[in-house]
Structures are given as C-alpha cells and as structure tokens.
Amino acid sequence: MKALALFSGGLDSMLAMKLITSQGIEVKALNINIGFGSTSDKSKIMAKRAAMVGASFEMIDVRNEYLQKVLFSPKYGYGKHFNPCIDCHAFMFKTALSMLKNENANFIITGEVLGQRPMSQRLDAMTKVKTLAQDEEDLILRPMCAKNLTPTKPEREGWVDREKLEGISGRSRKRQLELAKKFNLEDFESPGGGCLLTIESFSKKIKDFISFDKNMEVNDAQLLKYGRHLRLPNNSKMIIGRNELENELLRNLKTPKYEEIKLFDLIGAYSLVDTNINEEDLNLALKIALTYTKCEEGKKYKLGFKDKIYECEPLKDKDQIKGFFI
C-alpha cells in the first residue's frame, strides 16, 4: 500500500504523513510547486523533513500550468488578496491523483485540518475541492481531521485504520504540538501561510503587472518575488535589487521583456527596465539606478542600456522615487 502526500513543509502535513507511515504504509511527499511559495529554495530541508516521518520526497513543477489554468480564472474566486485557495487546492489534488498510476500508489493524503483556514478548509470548501479535483473514487484522505469527516475509500476498504487517525478541528495548535512531542518532531515550518498570493503587497504587484501585460509567464511571476518594483510616469516598469542575493537572482531570471541597466565599474543595485521603455522614462530610470549605487551626488556617470551609453547624475530628490513604488 502506498500514499502520495501533498507536502508544504509544515507540521500538519508532517504529522499526517507520520500517522500513515506508522501504519506500515509507504508515503511519498509531493511538494506541488505553483511558483508562489517561498522566495528561497527549500527543497533540501523539505526532503529532510519528509525523511523524518519516514517518507520520500519529490518537488513537482507545475508553474506554467498553474498560470495558464488556475490563477487568472478560478471558478470559486479569490480570498482576501489574489489567492484562489479552493481552485488551487483542487489543482494540487488533481495533479497528485493523476500521478497515482505511475507511482503505483493507492490514495492521496494531506495535512489539512477542518476549520483551520477560513477559505479552503471549511467543510463546504472541501466538498468543492473534491468535485473540482475529480476525486470520483473518494481517494483523498485527511488524517488530521478524518474522524470529523465521512470515511473515505482508504478507510472503508481497511487500507488505513481510521481509529488511528485524528479528529482535530479549528485553529488551535494544541493537539498538533502534543503529537509533535510524541513523535519527537522539532524541525518544522511555522504556521501562517507561506503563499505569496495571500500577501497584500505581492498581490498588488500581480494586479499591476496584468493591468499592462495579460501574458504572465513563469519568469515574469518569479521576478515579482524580488526587488523594488516601480511604475514610471509613462507606465514603464523598473525592478531594482535590494541586496546582493536579489541582484544575483534578478540577473539569472532571463526574460525578453526586460533589459539590464549596465553600471560598468560602479557598485550598486542590479536594475531592469522594460525593453520598450520610452526616452523620458529611460532618462528617469537611469537616474534612479544611479541613485542606488555608490556614487557622488552631483557628479555625472556613464551607464549603459542596450547598445548605447548614457551620461547622467543621480536624482537630487531621492524621496521622488517613493512615488513610483508599486
């Protein structure tokens, strides 16, 4: 017997897997990467956490499919910001269900707790997720709250001992912490949502992007995670790295929609602007880019954009930049 687990790296999903592996069932943890999780790569630590509860691990990249099929046309709408939680969960389950045959697995598990999250973990929301995911065989098991729900096929068929599952509900973490102590689990993600789509500042960046460009691609979405994002007076977009790590990440996210402002020998933030930026916005962007370097005020410097060299000085009024932040 084998189960595929939707794995976020958090305690609930770790415990759900432990409840199943403790029954002698093989578990493979799947982290379904939709592209809006952490800004850092946590695959190694997630693999380690999966191993702690006796599961193997794999990250599944569905970023492009998620952009095309879910993010901009959710059947059940969005949460407080740009988070289509019901459709998102259904998409993840549907992805996992489609893998059952190739993985020689029998059912799906998740760490969801009834009533823990307001949009996707209500009973009616779970019913909608089941329908959207096309779980016609009733193969989605939620070990953490199973005793509060109608028995699923894995329970009815005796693949899993229902009595050894949990009946947790609500937002309290008391029972989870008791189980963590029982199973000697100390390394786990803090609760509270690692999805950028639930964060207001990030959702503003998405809304700004699609108001000017309806065709969001994977690297466009990744670029939204890093740096300061500015919308210049004539609607050109500018992105400026905030630190050395972000500079490197922005440098490696190639897309034909943006071009680098070359600093030459200057030390400063890495900047990108729209490839088709007009002259007025470009002149401003060059001054802004220069402002984020180690340069002298009032002195002119040479910067590069495409195949041309420009000479300019940093902005005299740095507070002016604040008005362009998205």
Side-chain angles (χ1 to χ4, degrees):
M1 197 61 58
K2 181 179 178 181
L4 300 181
L6 296 188
F7 182 45
S8 65
L11 178 58
D12 288 346
S13 48
M14 288 177 72
L15 291 171
M17 291 191 290
K18 184 64 177 178
L19 290 172
I20 300 304
T21 58
S22 294
Q23 295 193 33
I25 297 169
E26 181 184 353
V27 174
K28 182 171 186 176
L30 304 178
N31 179 248
I32 310 292
N33 180 16
I34 62 170
F36 297 101
S38 172
T39 54
S40 59
D41 181 3
K42 294 187 176 179
S43 55
K44 288 184 179 179
I45 193 168
M46 293 181 78
K48 177 184 174 184
R49 288 172 179 166
M52 287 170 59
V53 292
S56 58
F57 174 80
E58 183 178 352
M59 184 171 283
I60 310 298
D61 188 348
V62 295
R63 293 176 297 174
N64 185 61
E65 191 177 359
Y66 185 79
L67 287 176
Q68 302 302 319
K69 296 182 178 180
V70 182
L71 185 59
F72 302 114
S73 55
K75 181 176 180 179
Y76 291 105
Y78 301 98
K80 189 176 181 182
H81 298 299
F82 215 87
N83 47 312
C85 295
I86 293 174
D87 291 73
C88 184
H89 280 222
F91 175 73
M92 290 183 179
F93 279 124
K94 192 172 183 179
T95 300
L97 286 166
S98 71
M99 295 174 62
L100 285 174
K101 184 176 180 180
N102 285 343
E103 290 289 337
N104 292 316
N106 308 91
F107 61 100
I108 307 295
I109 64 170
T110 171
E112 291 173 294
V113 171
L114 184 65
Q116 188 178 83
R117 294 181 187 259
M119 185 173 182
S120 61
Q121 293 180 13
R122 306 185 314 270
L123 184 58
D124 65 309
M126 290 179 174
T127 302
K128 291 172 182 175
V129 165
K130 177 181 172 63
T131 302
L132 266 185
Q134 299 177 357
D135 179 27
E136 297 167 359
E137 292 188 60
D138 202 16
L139 296 176
I140 297 174
L141 171 65
R142 297 174 171 88
M144 298 296 284
C145 59
K147 290 180 179 178
N148 296 322
L149 304 171
T150 303
T152 57
K153 183 176 181 178
E155 297 162 278
R156 296 193 305 269
E157 296 291 328
W159 302 346
V160 173
D161 186 347
R162 180 177 169 89
E163 292 307 308
K164 294 180 180 178
L165 304 180
E166 292 290 319
I168 305 172
S169 64
R171 306 194 69 171
S172 171
R173 306 282 294 171
K174 182 180 178 181
R175 179 57 180 161
Q176 285 94 321
L177 294 175
E178 288 175 352
L179 288 170
K181 186 176 181 179
K182 174 184 175 181
F183 296 131
N184 296 313
L185 300 179
E186 296 180 352
D187 175 28
F188 49 84
E189 194 97 346
S190 299
C195 181
L196 293 170
L197 298 172
T198 64
I199 299 173
E200 183 180 10
S201 59
F202 189 81
S203 66
K204 282 182 179 179
K205 291 178 184 177
I206 292 184
K207 291 172 184 176
D208 170 83
F209 183 96
I210 61 176
S211 66
F212 294 97
D213 185 348
K214 301 298 182 185
N215 183 29
M216 180 179 283
E217 298 175 355
V218 169
N219 274 7
D220 296 327
Q222 297 308 296
L223 281 169
L224 295 178
K225 294 181 178 182
Y226 310 110
R228 307 171 182 89
H229 288 244
L230 295 77
R231 187 64 67 179
L232 303 180
N234 295 292
N235 295 326
S236 301
K237 179 75 174 287
M238 183 174 188
I239 307 172
I240 307 168
R242 286 177 289 203
N243 52 52
E244 189 175 342
L245 175 60
E246 284 199 341
N247 288 345
E248 190 61 27
L249 289 166
L250 291 171
R251 189 175 287 113
N252 291 329
L253 282 169
K254 303 296 183 185
T255 165
K257 296 180 181 180
Y258 299 97
E259 287 278 349
E260 170 192 358
I261 292 178
K262 296 179 178 65
L263 301 178
F264 299 124
D265 294 331
L266 283 168
I267 297 173
Y270 183 81
S271 296
L272 293 168
V273 292
D274 282 335
T275 299
N276 299 318
I277 191 171
N278 65 25
E279 187 176 350
E280 183 182 348
D281 278 356
L282 177 58
N283 288 332
L284 176 59
L286 291 169
K287 292 179 180 180
I288 292 173
L290 197 53
T291 304
Y292 284 95
T293 66
K294 294 182 178 180
C295 65
E296 295 178 30
E297 195 171 321
K299 183 179 176 180
K300 288 192 173 182
Y301 294 85
K302 290 182 179 180
L303 299 177
F305 181 70
K306 294 187 176 178
D307 297 324
K308 293 184 179 180
I309 305 296
Y310 298 83
E311 196 172 86
C312 65
E313 60 184 65
L315 286 176
K316 293 179 181 178
D317 180 12
K318 294 182 181 180
D319 288 338
Q320 181 185 352
I321 301 174
K322 296 178 182 177
F324 303 127
F325 286 139
I326 295 168

